[in-house]
Structure formats: C-alpha cells, structure tokens
Tab-separated table of all heavy atoms in Angstrom:
chain	number	residue	atom	x	y	z
J	1	MET	N	-18.125	-22.306	-27.179
J	1	MET	CA	-19.559	-22.475	-27.226
J	1	MET	C	-19.988	-23.461	-26.125
J	1	MET	O	-19.573	-24.606	-26.100
J	1	MET	CB	-19.947	-23.004	-28.594
J	1	MET	CG	-21.408	-23.217	-28.760
J	1	MET	SD	-21.738	-23.546	-30.488
J	1	MET	CE	-22.676	-25.019	-30.336
J	2	THR	N	-20.791	-23.019	-25.198
J	2	THR	CA	-21.270	-23.846	-24.094
J	2	THR	C	-22.386	-24.765	-24.577
J	2	THR	O	-23.370	-24.307	-25.133
J	2	THR	CB	-21.785	-22.973	-22.946
J	2	THR	OG1	-20.716	-22.158	-22.491
J	2	THR	CG2	-22.303	-23.811	-21.803
J	3	LYS	N	-22.198	-26.054	-24.340
J	3	LYS	CA	-23.224	-27.024	-24.707
J	3	LYS	C	-23.886	-27.635	-23.485
J	3	LYS	O	-25.041	-28.013	-23.528
J	3	LYS	CB	-22.613	-28.161	-25.529
J	3	LYS	CG	-22.145	-27.774	-26.893
J	3	LYS	CD	-21.637	-29.012	-27.604
J	3	LYS	CE	-21.135	-28.696	-28.982
J	3	LYS	NZ	-20.615	-29.878	-29.660
J	4	TYR	N	-23.125	-27.754	-22.395
J	4	TYR	CA	-23.614	-28.445	-21.209
J	4	TYR	C	-23.553	-27.530	-19.985
J	4	TYR	O	-22.620	-26.758	-19.836
J	4	TYR	CB	-22.775	-29.699	-20.945
J	4	TYR	CG	-22.808	-30.669	-22.089
J	4	TYR	CD1	-21.781	-30.714	-23.011
J	4	TYR	CD2	-23.883	-31.531	-22.243
J	4	TYR	CE1	-21.818	-31.591	-24.074
J	4	TYR	CE2	-23.929	-32.415	-23.299
J	4	TYR	CZ	-22.895	-32.447	-24.217
J	4	TYR	OH	-22.934	-33.320	-25.263
J	5	GLN	N	-24.561	-27.652	-19.130
J	5	GLN	CA	-24.604	-26.858	-17.912
J	5	GLN	C	-25.072	-27.734	-16.761
J	5	GLN	O	-25.881	-28.637	-16.945
J	5	GLN	CB	-25.573	-25.688	-18.056
J	5	GLN	CG	-25.182	-24.720	-19.141
J	5	GLN	CD	-26.167	-23.575	-19.239
J	5	GLN	OE1	-26.683	-23.105	-18.241
J	5	GLN	NE2	-26.411	-23.125	-20.447
J	6	GLY	N	-24.560	-27.458	-15.579
J	6	GLY	CA	-24.971	-28.188	-14.389
J	6	GLY	C	-24.990	-27.266	-13.190
J	6	GLY	O	-24.330	-26.232	-13.173
J	7	ILE	N	-25.756	-27.640	-12.196
J	7	ILE	CA	-25.852	-26.892	-10.938
J	7	ILE	C	-25.202	-27.742	-9.853
J	7	ILE	O	-25.574	-28.898	-9.658
J	7	ILE	CB	-27.321	-26.611	-10.557
J	7	ILE	CG1	-28.058	-25.869	-11.669
J	7	ILE	CG2	-27.400	-25.872	-9.223
J	7	ILE	CD1	-27.580	-24.474	-11.933
J	8	ILE	N	-24.232	-27.170	-9.136
J	8	ILE	CA	-23.553	-27.870	-8.053
J	8	ILE	C	-24.196	-27.430	-6.729
J	8	ILE	O	-24.381	-26.243	-6.494
J	8	ILE	CB	-22.046	-27.507	-8.017
J	8	ILE	CG1	-21.387	-27.819	-9.361
J	8	ILE	CG2	-21.341	-28.230	-6.881
J	8	ILE	CD1	-21.314	-29.271	-9.699
J	9	TYR	N	-24.521	-28.407	-5.889
J	9	TYR	CA	-25.127	-28.091	-4.596
J	9	TYR	C	-24.822	-29.193	-3.592
J	9	TYR	O	-24.308	-30.243	-3.944
J	9	TYR	CB	-26.646	-27.907	-4.745
J	9	TYR	CG	-27.374	-29.118	-5.259
J	9	TYR	CD1	-27.946	-30.033	-4.379
J	9	TYR	CD2	-27.492	-29.360	-6.616
J	9	TYR	CE1	-28.611	-31.155	-4.842
J	9	TYR	CE2	-28.153	-30.473	-7.090
J	9	TYR	CZ	-28.710	-31.369	-6.200
J	9	TYR	OH	-29.362	-32.477	-6.664
J	10	TYR	N	-25.119	-28.914	-2.336
J	10	TYR	CA	-25.033	-29.948	-1.300
J	10	TYR	C	-26.351	-29.973	-0.550
J	10	TYR	O	-27.180	-29.081	-0.696
J	10	TYR	CB	-23.844	-29.738	-0.359
J	10	TYR	CG	-23.939	-28.560	0.577
J	10	TYR	CD1	-24.416	-28.716	1.869
J	10	TYR	CD2	-23.520	-27.296	0.178
J	10	TYR	CE1	-24.490	-27.631	2.735
J	10	TYR	CE2	-23.595	-26.219	1.035
J	10	TYR	CZ	-24.083	-26.398	2.312
J	10	TYR	OH	-24.154	-25.335	3.169
J	11	LYS	N	-26.571	-31.035	0.211
J	11	LYS	CA	-27.820	-31.186	0.950
J	11	LYS	C	-27.589	-30.913	2.430
J	11	LYS	O	-26.599	-31.365	2.991
J	11	LYS	CB	-28.368	-32.594	0.768
J	11	LYS	CG	-28.766	-32.860	-0.659
J	11	LYS	CD	-29.380	-34.211	-0.808
J	11	LYS	CE	-29.809	-34.382	-2.244
J	11	LYS	NZ	-30.817	-35.385	-2.419
J	12	HIS	N	-28.511	-30.159	3.023
J	12	HIS	CA	-28.430	-29.845	4.450
J	12	HIS	C	-29.848	-29.785	5.007
J	12	HIS	O	-30.660	-28.971	4.563
J	12	HIS	CB	-27.715	-28.513	4.666
J	12	HIS	CG	-27.602	-28.115	6.098
J	12	HIS	ND1	-26.863	-28.829	6.999
J	12	HIS	CD2	-28.158	-27.084	6.780
J	12	HIS	CE1	-26.959	-28.248	8.187
J	12	HIS	NE2	-27.742	-27.190	8.070
J	13	ASN	N	-30.133	-30.679	5.957
J	13	ASN	CA	-31.466	-30.741	6.590
J	13	ASN	C	-32.597	-30.813	5.565
J	13	ASN	O	-33.603	-30.126	5.677
J	13	ASN	CB	-31.677	-29.544	7.520
J	13	ASN	CG	-30.767	-29.583	8.716
J	13	ASN	OD1	-30.331	-30.645	9.147
J	13	ASN	ND2	-30.457	-28.418	9.253
J	14	GLY	N	-32.397	-31.625	4.542
J	14	GLY	CA	-33.437	-31.822	3.532
J	14	GLY	C	-33.555	-30.701	2.513
J	14	GLY	O	-34.464	-30.699	1.692
J	15	THR	N	-32.656	-29.740	2.562
J	15	THR	CA	-32.677	-28.622	1.624
J	15	THR	C	-31.452	-28.673	0.729
J	15	THR	O	-30.350	-28.955	1.191
J	15	THR	CB	-32.674	-27.275	2.391
J	15	THR	OG1	-33.806	-27.254	3.262
J	15	THR	CG2	-32.724	-26.099	1.455
J	16	ASN	N	-31.636	-28.400	-0.553
J	16	ASN	CA	-30.509	-28.306	-1.475
J	16	ASN	C	-29.929	-26.900	-1.390
J	16	ASN	O	-30.647	-25.919	-1.564
J	16	ASN	CB	-30.957	-28.585	-2.903
J	16	ASN	CG	-31.461	-29.995	-3.081
J	16	ASN	OD1	-31.202	-30.869	-2.259
J	16	ASN	ND2	-32.193	-30.233	-4.142
J	17	VAL	N	-28.643	-26.804	-1.099
J	17	VAL	CA	-27.967	-25.517	-0.948
J	17	VAL	C	-27.088	-25.283	-2.172
J	17	VAL	O	-26.122	-25.999	-2.408
J	17	VAL	CB	-27.117	-25.481	0.345
J	17	VAL	CG1	-26.444	-24.125	0.496
J	17	VAL	CG2	-27.972	-25.793	1.563
J	18	PHE	N	-27.439	-24.275	-2.965
J	18	PHE	CA	-26.722	-23.942	-4.195
J	18	PHE	C	-25.294	-23.514	-3.888
J	18	PHE	O	-25.057	-22.740	-2.976
J	18	PHE	CB	-27.461	-22.805	-4.917
J	18	PHE	CG	-26.709	-22.240	-6.089
J	18	PHE	CD1	-26.720	-22.890	-7.305
J	18	PHE	CD2	-25.983	-21.078	-5.962
J	18	PHE	CE1	-26.018	-22.379	-8.383
J	18	PHE	CE2	-25.287	-20.553	-7.031
J	18	PHE	CZ	-25.296	-21.207	-8.250
J	19	MET	N	-24.345	-24.033	-4.658
J	19	MET	CA	-22.953	-23.626	-4.504
J	19	MET	C	-22.420	-22.965	-5.766
J	19	MET	O	-21.727	-21.961	-5.679
J	19	MET	CB	-22.065	-24.827	-4.157
J	19	MET	CG	-22.406	-25.413	-2.809
J	19	MET	SD	-21.267	-26.656	-2.174
J	19	MET	CE	-20.842	-27.657	-3.530
J	20	ASN	N	-22.719	-23.541	-6.942
J	20	ASN	CA	-22.100	-23.032	-8.154
J	20	ASN	C	-22.848	-23.554	-9.381
J	20	ASN	O	-23.425	-24.628	-9.346
J	20	ASN	CB	-20.637	-23.488	-8.205
J	20	ASN	CG	-19.792	-22.708	-9.162
J	20	ASN	OD1	-20.227	-21.696	-9.694
J	20	ASN	ND2	-18.587	-23.164	-9.391
J	21	ALA	N	-22.787	-22.803	-10.449
J	21	ALA	CA	-23.261	-23.269	-11.751
J	21	ALA	C	-22.028	-23.495	-12.610
J	21	ALA	O	-21.099	-22.690	-12.590
J	21	ALA	CB	-24.172	-22.232	-12.388
J	22	VAL	N	-22.007	-24.592	-13.321
J	22	VAL	CA	-20.850	-24.900	-14.168
J	22	VAL	C	-21.299	-25.059	-15.607
J	22	VAL	O	-22.414	-25.504	-15.876
J	22	VAL	CB	-20.107	-26.169	-13.692
J	22	VAL	CG1	-19.411	-25.930	-12.378
J	22	VAL	CG2	-21.032	-27.355	-13.585
J	23	LYS	N	-20.419	-24.677	-16.517
J	23	LYS	CA	-20.681	-24.785	-17.950
J	23	LYS	C	-19.466	-25.401	-18.607
J	23	LYS	O	-18.342	-25.210	-18.146
J	23	LYS	CB	-20.930	-23.405	-18.554
J	23	LYS	CG	-22.147	-22.716	-18.004
J	23	LYS	CD	-22.319	-21.348	-18.606
J	23	LYS	CE	-23.536	-20.662	-18.002
J	23	LYS	NZ	-23.772	-19.352	-18.575
J	24	ALA	N	-19.695	-26.145	-19.675
J	24	ALA	CA	-18.586	-26.772	-20.390
J	24	ALA	C	-18.988	-27.009	-21.846
J	24	ALA	O	-20.174	-27.054	-22.187
J	24	ALA	CB	-18.207	-28.086	-19.731
J	25	THR	N	-17.976	-27.199	-22.667
J	25	THR	CA	-18.225	-27.461	-24.080
J	25	THR	C	-18.402	-28.949	-24.363
J	25	THR	O	-18.929	-29.321	-25.392
J	25	THR	CB	-17.070	-26.924	-24.954
J	25	THR	OG1	-15.850	-27.495	-24.499
J	25	THR	CG2	-16.996	-25.416	-24.875
J	26	ASP	N	-17.949	-29.804	-23.425
J	26	ASP	CA	-18.160	-31.237	-23.595
J	26	ASP	C	-18.518	-31.864	-22.248
J	26	ASP	O	-18.236	-31.314	-21.195
J	26	ASP	CB	-16.944	-31.926	-24.222
J	26	ASP	CG	-15.690	-31.776	-23.405
J	26	ASP	OD1	-15.626	-32.383	-22.314
J	26	ASP	OD2	-14.767	-31.066	-23.840
J	27	ILE	N	-19.129	-33.012	-22.314
J	27	ILE	CA	-19.657	-33.670	-21.113
J	27	ILE	C	-18.551	-34.071	-20.140
J	27	ILE	O	-18.722	-33.981	-18.932
J	27	ILE	CB	-20.542	-34.881	-21.504
J	27	ILE	CG1	-21.363	-35.362	-20.315
J	27	ILE	CG2	-19.748	-36.018	-22.050
J	27	ILE	CD1	-22.657	-34.709	-20.178
J	28	ILE	N	-17.411	-34.483	-20.642
J	28	ILE	CA	-16.304	-34.898	-19.767
J	28	ILE	C	-15.810	-33.712	-18.949
J	28	ILE	O	-15.605	-33.828	-17.745
J	28	ILE	CB	-15.163	-35.531	-20.591
J	28	ILE	CG1	-15.654	-36.847	-21.207
J	28	ILE	CG2	-13.933	-35.769	-19.734
J	28	ILE	CD1	-14.722	-37.455	-22.212
J	29	SER	N	-15.653	-32.565	-19.567
J	29	SER	CA	-15.190	-31.367	-18.856
J	29	SER	C	-16.183	-30.929	-17.787
J	29	SER	O	-15.795	-30.399	-16.755
J	29	SER	CB	-14.967	-30.219	-19.835
J	29	SER	OG	-13.938	-30.529	-20.730
J	30	LEU	N	-17.463	-31.160	-18.028
J	30	LEU	CA	-18.485	-30.755	-17.062
J	30	LEU	C	-18.316	-31.506	-15.745
J	30	LEU	O	-18.472	-30.940	-14.674
J	30	LEU	CB	-19.881	-31.013	-17.633
J	30	LEU	CG	-21.041	-30.551	-16.763
J	30	LEU	CD1	-21.075	-29.019	-16.692
J	30	LEU	CD2	-22.346	-31.073	-17.317
J	31	PHE	N	-17.951	-32.779	-15.822
J	31	PHE	CA	-17.864	-33.604	-14.623
J	31	PHE	C	-16.453	-33.753	-14.066
J	31	PHE	O	-16.250	-34.439	-13.083
J	31	PHE	CB	-18.465	-34.991	-14.888
J	31	PHE	CG	-19.960	-34.957	-14.971
J	31	PHE	CD1	-20.596	-34.873	-16.195
J	31	PHE	CD2	-20.730	-34.987	-13.827
J	31	PHE	CE1	-21.978	-34.828	-16.279
J	31	PHE	CE2	-22.116	-34.939	-13.897
J	31	PHE	CZ	-22.734	-34.860	-15.131
J	32	CYS	N	-15.464	-33.107	-14.665
J	32	CYS	CA	-14.084	-33.200	-14.178
J	32	CYS	C	-13.806	-32.104	-13.153
J	32	CYS	O	-13.915	-30.924	-13.452
J	32	CYS	CB	-13.089	-33.074	-15.330
J	32	CYS	SG	-13.024	-34.536	-16.338
J	33	PHE	N	-13.458	-32.527	-11.947
J	33	PHE	CA	-13.107	-31.603	-10.882
J	33	PHE	C	-11.760	-32.028	-10.335
J	33	PHE	O	-11.592	-33.175	-9.923
J	33	PHE	CB	-14.138	-31.662	-9.738
J	33	PHE	CG	-15.464	-31.091	-10.105
J	33	PHE	CD1	-16.426	-31.872	-10.695
J	33	PHE	CD2	-15.738	-29.759	-9.866
J	33	PHE	CE1	-17.654	-31.351	-11.040
J	33	PHE	CE2	-16.964	-29.226	-10.206
J	33	PHE	CZ	-17.918	-30.018	-10.790
J	34	ASP	N	-10.801	-31.121	-10.315
J	34	ASP	CA	-9.519	-31.471	-9.714
J	34	ASP	C	-9.613	-31.298	-8.194
J	34	ASP	O	-10.573	-30.753	-7.668
J	34	ASP	CB	-8.376	-30.658	-10.301
J	34	ASP	CG	-8.517	-29.162	-10.077
J	34	ASP	OD1	-9.277	-28.750	-9.181
J	34	ASP	OD2	-7.854	-28.405	-10.785
J	35	LYS	N	-8.613	-31.801	-7.498
J	35	LYS	CA	-8.633	-31.777	-6.027
J	35	LYS	C	-8.685	-30.359	-5.480
J	35	LYS	O	-9.335	-30.107	-4.472
J	35	LYS	CB	-7.422	-32.524	-5.470
J	35	LYS	CG	-7.529	-34.013	-5.660
J	35	LYS	CD	-6.360	-34.728	-5.051
J	35	LYS	CE	-6.491	-36.217	-5.289
J	35	LYS	NZ	-5.432	-36.969	-4.642
J	36	LYS	N	-8.012	-29.414	-6.141
J	36	LYS	CA	-8.022	-28.021	-5.684
J	36	LYS	C	-9.429	-27.438	-5.746
J	36	LYS	O	-9.861	-26.732	-4.846
J	36	LYS	CB	-7.089	-27.170	-6.549
J	36	LYS	CG	-5.641	-27.310	-6.228
J	36	LYS	CD	-4.845	-26.341	-7.068
J	36	LYS	CE	-3.386	-26.389	-6.723
J	36	LYS	NZ	-2.621	-25.430	-7.536
J	37	ARG	N	-10.137	-27.753	-6.801
J	37	ARG	CA	-11.482	-27.213	-6.976
J	37	ARG	C	-12.427	-27.774	-5.909
J	37	ARG	O	-13.229	-27.051	-5.328
J	37	ARG	CB	-11.990	-27.558	-8.374
J	37	ARG	CG	-13.215	-26.825	-8.775
J	37	ARG	CD	-13.461	-27.020	-10.241
J	37	ARG	NE	-14.736	-26.483	-10.633
J	37	ARG	CZ	-15.316	-26.699	-11.789
J	37	ARG	NH1	-14.716	-27.434	-12.683
J	37	ARG	NH2	-16.467	-26.181	-12.063
J	38	VAL	N	-12.329	-29.070	-5.635
J	38	VAL	CA	-13.153	-29.692	-4.602
J	38	VAL	C	-12.786	-29.133	-3.236
J	38	VAL	O	-13.656	-28.834	-2.419
J	38	VAL	CB	-13.015	-31.231	-4.638
J	38	VAL	CG1	-13.706	-31.863	-3.443
J	38	VAL	CG2	-13.575	-31.792	-5.936
J	39	ALA	N	-11.490	-28.950	-2.983
J	39	ALA	CA	-11.038	-28.401	-1.699
J	39	ALA	C	-11.599	-26.987	-1.498
J	39	ALA	O	-11.995	-26.632	-0.383
J	39	ALA	CB	-9.520	-28.388	-1.633
J	40	LYS	N	-11.647	-26.183	-2.563
J	40	LYS	CA	-12.202	-24.832	-2.458
J	40	LYS	C	-13.689	-24.875	-2.102
J	40	LYS	O	-14.160	-24.101	-1.279
J	40	LYS	CB	-12.037	-24.083	-3.787
J	40	LYS	CG	-10.720	-23.415	-3.970
J	40	LYS	CD	-10.717	-22.713	-5.296
J	40	LYS	CE	-10.058	-21.383	-5.184
J	40	LYS	NZ	-9.972	-20.690	-6.479
J	41	LEU	N	-14.422	-25.792	-2.733
J	41	LEU	CA	-15.847	-25.924	-2.422
J	41	LEU	C	-16.036	-26.329	-0.964
J	41	LEU	O	-16.863	-25.761	-0.257
J	41	LEU	CB	-16.507	-26.963	-3.334
J	41	LEU	CG	-16.672	-26.588	-4.800
J	41	LEU	CD1	-17.190	-27.782	-5.592
J	41	LEU	CD2	-17.604	-25.402	-4.963
J	42	ASN	N	-15.251	-27.306	-0.514
J	42	ASN	CA	-15.374	-27.782	0.862
J	42	ASN	C	-14.939	-26.728	1.874
J	42	ASN	O	-15.483	-26.668	2.975
J	42	ASN	CB	-14.567	-29.067	1.066
J	42	ASN	CG	-15.179	-30.250	0.357
J	42	ASN	OD1	-16.373	-30.294	0.120
J	42	ASN	ND2	-14.365	-31.202	-0.008
J	43	GLU	N	-13.973	-25.895	1.508
J	43	GLU	CA	-13.525	-24.828	2.405
J	43	GLU	C	-14.605	-23.763	2.549
J	43	GLU	O	-14.887	-23.299	3.649
J	43	GLU	CB	-12.246	-24.200	1.838
J	43	GLU	CG	-11.660	-23.113	2.703
J	43	GLU	CD	-10.399	-22.527	2.079
J	43	GLU	OE1	-9.567	-23.298	1.575
J	43	GLU	OE2	-10.265	-21.292	2.095
J	44	ARG	N	-15.213	-23.412	1.439
J	44	ARG	CA	-16.238	-22.370	1.469
J	44	ARG	C	-17.538	-22.876	2.099
J	44	ARG	O	-18.240	-22.137	2.774
J	44	ARG	CB	-16.498	-21.874	0.054
J	44	ARG	CG	-17.412	-20.700	0.016
J	44	ARG	CD	-17.368	-20.003	-1.300
J	44	ARG	NE	-18.270	-18.875	-1.275
J	44	ARG	CZ	-18.663	-18.223	-2.334
J	44	ARG	NH1	-18.203	-18.562	-3.503
J	44	ARG	NH2	-19.491	-17.222	-2.230
J	45	TRP	N	-17.875	-24.139	1.836
J	45	TRP	CA	-19.090	-24.754	2.380
J	45	TRP	C	-18.689	-26.037	3.112
J	45	TRP	O	-18.754	-27.128	2.550
J	45	TRP	CB	-20.073	-25.094	1.266
J	45	TRP	CG	-20.638	-23.902	0.568
J	45	TRP	CD1	-21.658	-23.109	1.009
J	45	TRP	CD2	-20.243	-23.364	-0.690
J	45	TRP	NE1	-21.910	-22.114	0.099
J	45	TRP	CE2	-21.059	-22.245	-0.963
J	45	TRP	CE3	-19.271	-23.707	-1.636
J	45	TRP	CZ2	-20.938	-21.489	-2.110
J	45	TRP	CZ3	-19.150	-22.954	-2.772
J	45	TRP	CH2	-19.978	-21.861	-3.006
J	46	PRO	N	-18.291	-25.961	4.368
J	46	PRO	CA	-17.804	-27.132	5.112
J	46	PRO	C	-18.785	-28.307	5.147
J	46	PRO	O	-18.363	-29.461	5.174
J	46	PRO	CB	-17.548	-26.605	6.524
J	46	PRO	CG	-17.377	-25.132	6.360
J	46	PRO	CD	-18.230	-24.746	5.184
J	47	LEU	N	-20.073	-28.047	5.130
J	47	LEU	CA	-21.059	-29.129	5.175
J	47	LEU	C	-21.142	-29.903	3.852
J	47	LEU	O	-21.831	-30.918	3.771
J	47	LEU	CB	-22.441	-28.577	5.529
J	47	LEU	CG	-22.565	-27.974	6.923
J	47	LEU	CD1	-23.931	-27.321	7.100
J	47	LEU	CD2	-22.351	-29.038	7.979
J	48	SER	N	-20.427	-29.433	2.829
J	48	SER	CA	-20.492	-30.093	1.529
J	48	SER	C	-19.539	-31.285	1.413
J	48	SER	O	-19.613	-32.031	0.441
J	48	SER	CB	-20.186	-29.089	0.410
J	48	SER	OG	-18.807	-28.727	0.427
J	49	LYS	N	-18.676	-31.482	2.396
J	49	LYS	CA	-17.700	-32.568	2.306
J	49	LYS	C	-18.406	-33.914	2.159
J	49	LYS	O	-19.259	-34.267	2.965
J	49	LYS	CB	-16.792	-32.577	3.537
J	49	LYS	CG	-15.638	-33.518	3.383
J	49	LYS	CD	-14.560	-33.228	4.386
J	49	LYS	CE	-13.396	-34.143	4.067
J	49	LYS	NZ	-12.172	-33.667	4.570
J	50	ASN	N	-18.063	-34.651	1.105
J	50	ASN	CA	-18.687	-35.929	0.749
J	50	ASN	C	-20.201	-35.805	0.576
J	50	ASN	O	-20.940	-36.750	0.815
J	50	ASN	CB	-18.364	-37.006	1.795
J	50	ASN	CG	-16.886	-37.287	1.872
J	50	ASN	OD1	-16.208	-37.339	0.858
J	50	ASN	ND2	-16.386	-37.427	3.072
J	51	ASN	N	-20.646	-34.634	0.170
J	51	ASN	CA	-22.075	-34.352	0.080
J	51	ASN	C	-22.351	-33.402	-1.090
J	51	ASN	O	-23.144	-32.494	-0.980
J	51	ASN	CB	-22.531	-33.744	1.417
J	51	ASN	CG	-24.018	-33.542	1.502
J	51	ASN	OD1	-24.791	-34.179	0.815
J	51	ASN	ND2	-24.412	-32.604	2.353
J	52	ILE	N	-21.651	-33.596	-2.204
J	52	ILE	CA	-21.786	-32.699	-3.350
J	52	ILE	C	-22.570	-33.399	-4.459
J	52	ILE	O	-22.305	-34.551	-4.791
J	52	ILE	CB	-20.410	-32.243	-3.875
J	52	ILE	CG1	-19.662	-31.462	-2.792
J	52	ILE	CG2	-20.567	-31.377	-5.115
J	52	ILE	CD1	-18.266	-31.060	-3.180
J	53	TYR	N	-23.531	-32.682	-5.012
J	53	TYR	CA	-24.381	-33.204	-6.076
J	53	TYR	C	-24.364	-32.251	-7.260
J	53	TYR	O	-24.071	-31.064	-7.111
J	53	TYR	CB	-25.829	-33.333	-5.587
J	53	TYR	CG	-26.009	-34.343	-4.496
J	53	TYR	CD1	-25.740	-34.014	-3.176
J	53	TYR	CD2	-26.443	-35.623	-4.776
J	53	TYR	CE1	-25.909	-34.935	-2.157
J	53	TYR	CE2	-26.613	-36.561	-3.767
J	53	TYR	CZ	-26.343	-36.212	-2.466
J	53	TYR	OH	-26.494	-37.130	-1.468
J	54	MET	N	-24.725	-32.777	-8.431
J	54	MET	CA	-24.908	-31.940	-9.602
J	54	MET	C	-26.285	-32.234	-10.183
J	54	MET	O	-26.673	-33.406	-10.303
J	54	MET	CB	-23.857	-32.202	-10.676
J	54	MET	CG	-24.058	-31.325	-11.916
J	54	MET	SD	-22.922	-31.654	-13.273
J	54	MET	CE	-21.412	-31.018	-12.599
J	55	LEU	N	-27.004	-31.186	-10.497
J	55	LEU	CA	-28.260	-31.323	-11.213
J	55	LEU	C	-27.929	-31.135	-12.690
J	55	LEU	O	-27.453	-30.072	-13.101
J	55	LEU	CB	-29.269	-30.274	-10.740
J	55	LEU	CG	-30.653	-30.377	-11.351
J	55	LEU	CD1	-31.311	-31.706	-10.979
J	55	LEU	CD2	-31.518	-29.219	-10.901
J	56	PHE	N	-28.122	-32.188	-13.465
J	56	PHE	CA	-27.772	-32.159	-14.879
J	56	PHE	C	-28.929	-32.762	-15.668
J	56	PHE	O	-29.314	-33.905	-15.442
J	56	PHE	CB	-26.483	-32.956	-15.122
J	56	PHE	CG	-26.105	-33.080	-16.566
J	56	PHE	CD1	-25.686	-31.974	-17.272
J	56	PHE	CD2	-26.170	-34.300	-17.212
J	56	PHE	CE1	-25.332	-32.071	-18.601
J	56	PHE	CE2	-25.816	-34.418	-18.538
J	56	PHE	CZ	-25.398	-33.303	-19.245
J	57	GLU	N	-29.489	-31.976	-16.562
J	57	GLU	CA	-30.615	-32.391	-17.395
J	57	GLU	C	-31.747	-32.993	-16.560
J	57	GLU	O	-32.318	-34.025	-16.898
J	57	GLU	CB	-30.150	-33.352	-18.484
J	57	GLU	CG	-29.227	-32.692	-19.484
J	57	GLU	CD	-28.890	-33.565	-20.665
J	57	GLU	OE1	-29.200	-34.786	-20.653
J	57	GLU	OE2	-28.318	-33.036	-21.620
J	58	GLY	N	-32.031	-32.366	-15.421
J	58	GLY	CA	-33.137	-32.774	-14.574
J	58	GLY	C	-32.857	-33.978	-13.685
J	58	GLY	O	-33.739	-34.447	-12.992
J	59	LYS	N	-31.622	-34.469	-13.685
J	59	LYS	CA	-31.271	-35.627	-12.876
J	59	LYS	C	-30.243	-35.233	-11.833
J	59	LYS	O	-29.302	-34.499	-12.106
J	59	LYS	CB	-30.709	-36.746	-13.752
J	59	LYS	CG	-31.722	-37.284	-14.706
J	59	LYS	CD	-31.172	-38.401	-15.528
J	59	LYS	CE	-32.278	-38.926	-16.401
J	59	LYS	NZ	-31.912	-39.156	-17.745
J	60	GLU	N	-30.425	-35.772	-10.634
J	60	GLU	CA	-29.489	-35.525	-9.532
J	60	GLU	C	-28.377	-36.577	-9.583
J	60	GLU	O	-28.649	-37.769	-9.571
J	60	GLU	CB	-30.230	-35.603	-8.217
J	60	GLU	CG	-29.344	-35.387	-7.015
J	60	GLU	CD	-30.128	-35.474	-5.730
J	60	GLU	OE1	-30.637	-34.432	-5.301
J	60	GLU	OE2	-30.219	-36.588	-5.182
J	61	ILE	N	-27.139	-36.115	-9.614
J	61	ILE	CA	-25.978	-37.000	-9.675
J	61	ILE	C	-25.083	-36.689	-8.502
J	61	ILE	O	-24.643	-35.551	-8.327
J	61	ILE	CB	-25.210	-36.814	-10.994
J	61	ILE	CG1	-26.145	-37.111	-12.177
J	61	ILE	CG2	-23.976	-37.682	-11.030
J	61	ILE	CD1	-25.661	-36.576	-13.499
J	62	LYS	N	-24.798	-37.699	-7.664
J	62	LYS	CA	-23.886	-37.496	-6.533
J	62	LYS	C	-22.461	-37.558	-7.062
J	62	LYS	O	-22.079	-38.504	-7.752
J	62	LYS	CB	-24.082	-38.566	-5.455
J	62	LYS	CG	-23.191	-38.346	-4.249
J	62	LYS	CD	-23.629	-39.224	-3.100
J	62	LYS	CE	-22.776	-39.180	-1.876
J	62	LYS	NZ	-22.260	-38.023	-1.362
J	63	LEU	N	-21.678	-36.535	-6.751
J	63	LEU	CA	-20.291	-36.494	-7.202
J	63	LEU	C	-19.424	-37.153	-6.140
J	63	LEU	O	-19.479	-36.803	-4.966
J	63	LEU	CB	-19.857	-35.053	-7.438
J	63	LEU	CG	-20.700	-34.295	-8.487
J	63	LEU	CD1	-20.208	-32.865	-8.590
J	63	LEU	CD2	-20.638	-34.985	-9.828
J	64	GLU	N	-18.647	-38.097	-6.566
J	64	GLU	CA	-17.743	-38.808	-5.662
J	64	GLU	C	-16.485	-37.988	-5.458
J	64	GLU	O	-15.979	-37.376	-6.380
J	64	GLU	CB	-17.371	-40.176	-6.245
J	64	GLU	CG	-18.544	-41.089	-6.467
J	64	GLU	CD	-19.219	-41.541	-5.179
J	64	GLU	OE1	-18.497	-41.696	-4.177
J	64	GLU	OE2	-20.433	-41.694	-5.194
J	65	SER	N	-15.972	-37.990	-4.236
J	65	SER	CA	-14.712	-37.290	-3.977
J	65	SER	C	-13.576	-38.293	-4.068
J	65	SER	O	-13.765	-39.491	-3.874
J	65	SER	CB	-14.745	-36.613	-2.617
J	65	SER	OG	-14.969	-37.563	-1.614
J	66	GLU	N	-12.405	-37.773	-4.329
J	66	GLU	CA	-11.170	-38.543	-4.486
J	66	GLU	C	-11.190	-39.186	-5.784
J	66	GLU	O	-10.951	-39.350	-6.715
J	66	GLU	CB	-10.972	-39.571	-3.392
J	66	GLU	CG	-10.951	-38.913	-2.065
J	66	GLU	CD	-9.972	-39.550	-1.103
J	66	GLU	OE1	-9.186	-40.413	-1.510
J	66	GLU	OE2	-9.977	-39.173	0.047
C-alpha cells in the first residue's frame, strides 16, 4: 500500500526537469537512494549531478549525493 509519493527532478536554466516519480510505503524508503540508483539518474540526465531535488508534500527538498 503506497502512502508516500515524491517527484524527482533537477534544475536547468531556471526550469525544473522531471526525471521520475517515486512511491513508498514509509517515509524512510521514499528518501533512500543507493549509489547505483543515483548513478543511473546521473547517467541518463548528466545535468542532474549534484542537482537532484524531490517535491514532497508541496515542499522542495534538495537530495544530497554520497
């Protein structure tokens, strides 16, 4: 049962660029990203490196890498 949802995006020239929607059953799982998952995002969207955000419950949260 999905309880939490977030939108993953990066910023480019003042525009938010959608990358992925994530869903999880608990808040910790929503914000947990392993290195492989981050590497895949950065490979597909090179401009997203150190520039990944999540929109969660109307708030923008910058996701830290490493």
